[in-house]
Amino acid sequence: MDTAGIRATAYLSAVLLLCNFNGLNYCTAISNVTRAQKVAVGETLTSPGQVFELGFFSPGSSSNQYVGIWYKNISVRKAIWVANREKPLTAADTSASLVIGSDGNLLILDGTNISVWSTNLSVGASEAFAVLLDNGDLVLKDGTSGESLWESFQFPGDTFLPGMKLGVNTITGERRFLSSWQTEDNPLPGLFSVGIVPESPAQAFVWKGSKPYWRTGPWNGVKFFGLPNTAAANLNGFSFQIDRNQGSAYFSITISSSSLVRIVVISPVGALKVLDWDEGTKKWNQWWQEPEGPCDVYGTCGAFGVCNQSRSPICRCMKGFVPKSNEEWRRGNWKGGCVRRTQLLCEKNGSHTSLESGKDDGFWQLSDLKLPDFPIYLNLDDATGCGIWCLNNCSCVAYASIEQVNCIVWVGDLLDVQESSLISAGSLFLRLTKSELGNKFAFKTLGIDGSFPDFSQVIFCFILPGNVKPKSKYIISFSVISALIFFGAIVCGYCRCKANQRGRNSEEFKNEIRLISKLQHRNLVRIMGCCIEGPELLIIYEYMSNKSLDNFLFDATERAQLDWPKRFKIILGIARGLLYLHHDSCLKIIHRDLKASNILLDKDMNPKISDFGLARSFRETQVLGNTRRVVGTFGYMSPEYITRGVFSEKSDVFSFGVLLLEILSSKKNTGFNNHGEHLNLLGYAWHLWSEGTGLELMDQLLAPSLSPVEKMRCLHVGLLCVQDNAIDRPTMSTVLNMLTGEADRPHPKRLSVTFRSNSDCNGQSQDRITSSRIDVTISIVEGR
Ligand SMILES: *[C@@H]1O[C@H](CO)[C@@H](O)[C@H](O)[C@H]1NC(C)=O
Ligand SMILES: *[C@@H]1O[C@H](CO)[C@@H](O)[C@H](O)[C@H]1NC(C)=O
Ligand SMILES: *[C@@H]1O[C@H](CO)[C@@H](O)[C@H](O)[C@H]1NC(C)=O
Ligand SMILES: *[C@@H]1O[C@H](CO)[C@@H](O)[C@H](O)[C@H]1NC(C)=O
Ligand SMILES: *[C@@H]1O[C@H](CO)[C@@H](O)[C@H](O)[C@H]1NC(C)=O
Ligand SMILES: *[C@@H]1O[C@H](CO)[C@@H](O)[C@H](O)[C@H]1NC(C)=O
Ligand SMILES: *[C@@H]1O[C@H](CO)[C@@H](O)[C@H](O)[C@H]1NC(C)=O
């Protein structure tokens, strides 16, 4: 651009043009201002492409004279920049001039050769010259180096042009902002200015004096959250460059079409307008303006007030808030805003760190809002963490999560909130006490030992079944759990259990959760907390990024990820976890529903036993339990449990044995189909073992040559665990010793039930099963 500008001067400098602007005749078009070449009244400096023009002018009916820049070609003349805004010349002064002074500065001299305006550079270059570029930038350059010494774009007026930057540099202290004219005829800086607040997330503002008058809402990297949608879409080419290292944040417009003439202007009365030149109608076409209505004006409804242009009155208080002064409010003076009706508990106690009381607060979602001012950006990965952070800090009154920005929080008053479906707004989560939220949306969260659960570890949730098998289980993401917890309604949808059908949503249940949550072992999933509200129950586990074992084991491709060392690690881990439950923990716990889908895997594929929903804890003296209802999962239940409802730790050992054989073979005990032979997995394993061909059971994806001894040992232990008689089965401590080769392994007894029930043979009973228990097993539907 610069070199082009200089090149163009050679043939354009002598061009003589006749033109007319505000009654002045311009006769000479000059291409550069030098020591020898001034711009006198009636002369103009033009940009090389004839786009812009600089000269002396008098706006409207003004009797003052200024040096300004305007679009040369546009018949409706509008000065986009004025040099001597604060130091006008009289219109009668026809001897004034724009010159390069002896110190190299660009000066405006009045008729008596007195400088009324100067570029004020301290190190002037005597060879300096000034040119007007085709983007409207007036540049003072060093004549020797060609380096730019000063630019009019550094000192914007009331008009923002493509190529200009608006913003700040916190390191150099530079601020570039628009300032309105005093009146349409007076370029003197007026009341209004336009600029950027660079704090993250950045916002653009119109200020009236030192007070905010209008704002865009936070910038999310793509758009301002708070502008009308139509504008947001049309603001194509508007961009924000934030360079934290350089300390700079600048807003700019890039226009892709060269024929489009677009400017942004702040009017003397504070209206920010976007104008496009329409060559057809020869008019400036204004397609966007802010503020448009009273709700757009900053803080119309005061703190914690919400403005909605379609309402009457336009202001109301947010949920849980009441007008600070009812009288003022009724009079239509809403600026005083609203105050909390019920103080937050943490506020009452004067403690800002009380997690205990923070737990009793919740969030109320407000949608389609222009988000409040003074947003604080937190660098969190997820919206849930944002809510947690907010709950844990009593000063935090709200949070929001918008596209591309996971976490914005507010402390102090919520100001300038507008409700409009036209705005590209976000949802605000307003902190309220539980009593304000109402039962429907409040979830009391129990943490381990009363502490607040650490939700930053994500989460595994399922319906706590009481003593009935869970219908469904969800492994859900962080953001969903956030929704679950904070939008209580959704939780209810997922996790509703009817209290009257359970009878266990009481203290007893809470005690059980408390007890279970005390268990800590690296092969048990940790319970982070649970939510109980009336009939709603939600248990929150630590997050297991690899979900459950069945997802790998029984998947045609995923199972390839489980090589032998991983599988052996998983087997040992489950055994250790179960041993802890049976023997080592302060409680004696029989799991009762051990199965592949209850083995969760963390990011390093460490197995963790989950789902204590069916577990019962016992004092050391109670060894056996008895229950009238048979619960558990078909395929994993021991014979004595199915037929007589008797369970003991040996029932778990049986389930472990089934699981072990499944891990070896990657086959489900229940869905097992061995080429028309009606063997179940246990029967098949027994068959191979007795034939001496046990290695054939192994998943074909396992390298056959790898650790055959370990594999066979596992098969052997598995068969010992699934023996018919509970008394023959080893305890988990023996199992563990046998798996590691430290204990001898007896010969497993022949299994009595080695054939699977088969109901897919035209209803004809193909069963050659001797046991009567099959009646029972058929009637139990498989869980998952
Ligand atoms: C300014 O324009 C004149 C012609 O009017 C030319 O001789 C001179 O070289 C130009 N100076 C610069 C610095 O471009
Ligand atoms: C100025 O206007 C003329 C005719 O109206 C047009 O041909 C020319 O391209 C315009 N120049 C610029 C820079 O817009
Ligand atoms: C202003 O300066 C110019 C050039 O130095 C000179 O020609 C002119 O006479 C001066 N005008 C007055 C009023 O001194
Ligand atoms: C130059 O400095 C003078 C005196 O400090 C000041 O009044 C004037 O506004 C400055 N001009 C510009 C363009 O900054
Ligand atoms: C302050 O907190 C404690 C628990 O930390 C609670 O028992 C007490 O009721 C609270 N006080 C008020 C005034 O809410
Ligand atoms: C709460 O958050 C505010 C804003 O980030 C912070 O200044 C304050 O120190 C926090 N308070 C606590 C107790 O963490
Ligand atoms: C604004 O108020 C009107 C009238 O009460 C209502 O219909 C509309 O939903 C409100 N706007 C929003 C975004 O809530």
Side-chain angles (χ1 to χ4, degrees):
M1 199 64 121
D2 291 356
T3 50
I6 294 163
R7 222 184 309 120
T9 57
Y11 68 90
L12 285 170
S13 56
V15 177
L16 266 166
L17 291 169
L18 280 176
C19 43
N20 186 296
F21 181 38
N22 290 341
L24 290 170
N25 284 317
Y26 302 108
C27 304
T28 318
I30 296 158
S31 62
N32 61 37
V33 187
T34 62
R35 283 286 285 146
Q37 178 66 68
K38 66 179 184 179
V39 180
V41 175
E43 291 174 331
T44 61
L45 175 70
T46 55
S47 72
Q50 309 285 300
V51 185
F52 285 97
E53 197 169 56
L54 173 147
F56 288 83
F57 77 105
S58 290
S61 56
S62 172
S63 56
N64 285 332
Q65 188 174 218
Y66 303 87
V67 170
I69 299 171
W70 52 84
Y71 278 97
K72 178 176 168 57
N73 238 12
I74 287 173
S75 47
V76 179
R77 282 279 153 83
K78 180 175 186 331
I80 52 105
W81 185 78
V82 177
N84 53 329
R85 295 178 73 175
E86 293 163 62
K87 290 280 178 63
L89 302 157
T90 61
D93 190 345
T94 52
S95 317
S97 57
L98 178 72
V99 303
I100 299 289
S102 54
D103 61 353
N105 274 304
L106 193 60
L107 308 172
I108 298 175
L109 302 180
D110 66 10
T112 60
N113 282 353
I114 290 174
S115 164
V116 298
W117 180 89
S118 162
T119 48
N120 279 354
L121 299 175
S122 52
V123 279
S126 54
E127 290 305 311
F129 67 101
V131 288
L132 181 59
L133 306 183
D134 277 333
N135 62 0
D137 194 8
L138 176 65
V139 186
L140 180 67
K141 295 184 177 204
D142 184 302
T144 324
S145 66
E147 189 192 325
S148 163
L149 303 169
W150 177 96
E151 293 179 45
S152 63
F153 272 16
Q154 291 171 300
F155 308 93
D158 69 342
T159 307
F160 188 54
L161 296 173
M164 236 182 201
K165 287 164 150 190
L166 213 56
V168 294
N169 186 317
T170 51
I171 291 171
T172 62
E174 184 187 41
R175 282 186 72 219
R176 295 189 191 180
F177 57 94
L178 300 182
S179 60
S180 70
W181 287 16
Q182 190 96 5
T183 65
E184 292 293 346
D185 291 350
N186 186 357
L188 187 69
L191 260 186
F192 297 92
S193 54
V194 182
I196 304 294
V197 169
E199 283 82 27
S200 192
Q203 303 190 74
F205 275 86
V206 174
W207 289 279
K208 183 179 185 178
S210 60
K211 293 197 171 122
Y213 181 65
W214 177 82
R215 70 193 174 95
T216 54
W219 175 259
N220 79 336
V222 179
K223 62 181 178 185
F224 288 109
F225 264 74
L227 291 187
N229 287 323
T230 47
N234 278 326
L235 286 176
N236 242 332
F238 284 63
S239 69
F240 214 162
Q241 296 90 34
I242 300 179
D243 185 334
R244 304 242 167 260
N245 295 332
Q246 301 290 314
S248 66
Y250 288 104
F251 187 61
S252 62
I253 327 176
T254 335
I255 303 281
S256 47
S257 151
S258 60
S259 60
L260 178 64
V261 176
R262 171 169 293 176
I263 59 175
V264 181
V265 181
I266 179 72
S267 84
V269 294
L272 190 63
K273 303 172 178 182
V274 180
L275 305 174
D276 286 357
W277 176 249
D278 187 333
E279 188 60 40
T281 62
K282 304 276 181 207
K283 275 185 180 150
W284 285 105
N285 175 22
Q286 174 192 317
W287 56 267
W288 187 85
Q289 179 187 321
E290 284 287 354
E292 277 198 298
C295 282
D296 299 322
V297 173
Y298 188 94
T300 293
C301 296
F304 298 103
V306 181
C307 201
N308 178 340
Q309 230 123 284
S310 331
R311 263 189 233 281
S312 179
I314 54 173
C315 292
R316 68 189 169 88
C317 292
M318 289 179 181
K319 184 184 169 66
F321 289 79
V322 290
K324 194 169 180 181
S325 157
N326 276 318
E327 198 178 320
E328 289 289 313
W329 198 262
R330 268 195 301 275
R331 262 194 249 149
N333 181 9
W334 303 292
K335 290 243 184 281
C338 309
V339 289
R340 224 178 253 288
R341 179 163 48 199
T342 315
Q343 260 190 312
L344 299 175
L345 278 183
C346 55
E347 283 178 339
K348 266 190 204 162
N349 267 331
S351 154
H352 282 241
T353 55
S354 170
L355 300 188
E356 274 300 293
S357 40
K359 279 186 334 195
D360 284 326
D361 298 333
F363 295 99
W364 180 263
Q365 185 183 1
L366 297 148
S367 299
D368 292 330
L369 285 192
K370 177 173 184 175
L371 296 172
D373 195 13
F374 304 109
I376 300 171
Y377 167 76
L378 292 186
N379 189 13
L380 297 183
D381 291 342
D382 208 289
T384 310
C386 197
I388 298 304
W389 188 97
C390 192
L391 267 192
N392 282 331
N393 183 330
C394 190
S395 320
C396 178
V397 294
Y399 78 95
S401 182
I402 57 177
E403 287 164 43
Q404 329 253 346
V405 183
N406 283 325
C407 190
I408 306 174
V409 299
W410 285 265
V411 301
D413 290 349
L414 296 181
L415 262 178
D416 195 35
V417 178
Q418 190 185 158
E419 197 175 57
S420 164
S421 49
L422 298 177
I423 283 178
S424 66
S427 281
L428 182 78
F429 295 90
L430 176 69
R431 185 195 196 120
L432 291 176
T433 59
K434 207 180 133 192
S435 61
E436 289 288 352
L437 287 164
N439 270 342
K440 198 173 150 213
F441 289 98
F443 273 79
K444 185 155 187 157
T445 310
L446 284 181
I448 299 157
D449 295 330
S451 67
F452 195 83
D454 176 11
F455 290 104
S456 63
Q457 318 258 334
V458 202
I459 282 169
F460 173 79
C461 145
F462 70 96
I463 303 170
L464 189 95
N467 57 5
V468 171
K469 192 172 146 37
K471 283 221 183 66
S472 357
K473 178 149 79 178
Y474 305 89
I475 294 180
I476 54 179
S477 75
F478 205 34
S479 49
V480 175
I481 195 75
S482 116
L484 291 181
I485 290 179
F486 296 115
F487 319 147
I490 303 177
V491 174
C492 304
Y494 279 122
C495 295
R496 189 176 292 281
C497 310
K498 293 223 166 56
N500 54 7
Q501 287 175 5
R502 300 285 177 270
R504 260 172 52 89
N505 303 320
S506 56
E507 280 308 309
E508 181 198 355
F509 163 72
K510 287 187 202 169
N511 285 337
E512 187 166 313
I513 293 294
R514 280 201 193 95
L515 284 176
I516 291 168
S517 65
K518 287 200 177 108
L519 300 181
Q520 283 197 35
H521 186 273
R522 69 196 146 97
N523 296 115
L524 295 184
V525 169
R526 249 172 76 82
I527 294 184
M528 316 301 293
C530 73
C531 314
I532 308 167
E533 189 64 39
E536 328 296 347
L537 303 165
L538 183 73
I539 291 195
I540 296 148
Y541 289 105
E542 67 180 312
Y543 183 56
M544 292 288 124
S545 56
N546 276 316
K547 301 191 175 174
S548 53
L549 178 59
D550 58 333
N551 287 328
F552 287 91
L553 207 53
F554 306 131
D555 186 281
T557 50
E558 293 295 316
R559 68 182 221 265
Q561 292 189 42
L562 295 177
D563 58 14
W564 177 250
K566 284 206 186 85
R567 290 189 200 213
F568 192 57
K569 182 170 94 168
I570 289 168
I571 291 168
L572 289 179
I574 300 168
R576 288 191 186 109
L578 207 51
L579 176 64
Y580 175 83
L581 283 177
H582 288 175
H583 295 281
D584 296 342
S585 72
C586 49
L587 308 152
K588 188 172 189 69
I589 296 208
I590 295 174
H591 189 289
R592 301 209 301 171
D593 197 19
L594 193 68
K595 58 182 170 185
S597 58
N598 277 339
I599 305 301
L600 304 186
L601 298 168
D602 72 7
K603 64 180 192 334
D604 302 317
M605 300 297 275
N606 291 309
K608 305 209 180 200
I609 300 174
S610 79
D611 198 347
F612 303 101
L614 298 177
R616 288 290 179 84
S617 52
F618 298 92
R619 302 267 166 257
E620 278 295 341
T621 49
Q622 294 171 283
V623 177
L624 286 179
N626 199 323
T627 176
R628 266 181 239 120
R629 287 193 76 160
V630 172
V631 296
T633 303
F634 177 52
Y636 293 91
M637 287 184 285
S638 64
E640 74 277 9
Y641 185 30
I642 294 171
T643 54
R644 287 178 283 130
V646 173
F647 66 92
S648 66
E649 58 181 79
K650 294 294 185 69
S651 326
D652 278 352
V653 172
F654 183 92
S655 306
F656 174 79
V658 175
L659 190 52
L660 182 43
L661 297 176
E662 288 184 338
I663 295 172
L664 297 179
S665 64
S666 289
K667 294 191 170 66
K668 284 184 187 176
N669 188 26
T670 45
F672 184 71
N673 189 349
N674 184 40
H675 309 292
E677 296 211 25
H678 302 298
L679 291 166
N680 63 10
L681 177 62
L682 307 191
Y684 182 58
W686 169 262
H687 172 75
L688 294 175
W689 163 266
S690 56
E691 300 278 309
T693 54
L695 282 175
E696 282 182 29
L697 181 76
M698 307 304 155
D699 186 341
Q700 285 170 354
L701 295 185
L702 290 175
S705 55
L706 199 67
S707 317
V709 176
E710 229 167 49
K711 288 173 188 161
M712 284 303 283
R713 198 195 295 152
C714 286
L715 170 57
H716 190 159
V717 174
L719 290 172
L720 287 168
C721 291
V722 297
Q723 292 175 105
D724 290 342
N725 288 323
I727 204 155
D728 294 333
R729 296 175 211 145
T731 62
M732 281 316 295
S733 68
T734 312
V735 165
L736 203 57
N737 285 336
M738 291 195 300
L739 284 173
T740 53
E742 292 157 40
D744 292 338
R745 298 182 298 277
H747 197 78
K749 292 196 176 147
R750 185 182 167 78
L751 307 179
S752 68
V753 179
T754 56
F755 299 95
R756 70 192 186 105
S757 72
N758 196 328
S759 54
D760 44 46
C761 298
N762 303 321
Q764 281 178 295
S765 176
Q766 301 281 316
D767 300 340
R768 283 173 281 164
I769 296 166
T770 53
S771 166
S772 63
R773 79 178 98 114
I774 200 66
D775 296 334
V776 184
T777 54
I778 289 168
S779 70
I780 294 174
V781 183
E782 193 194 346
R784 46 187 276 162

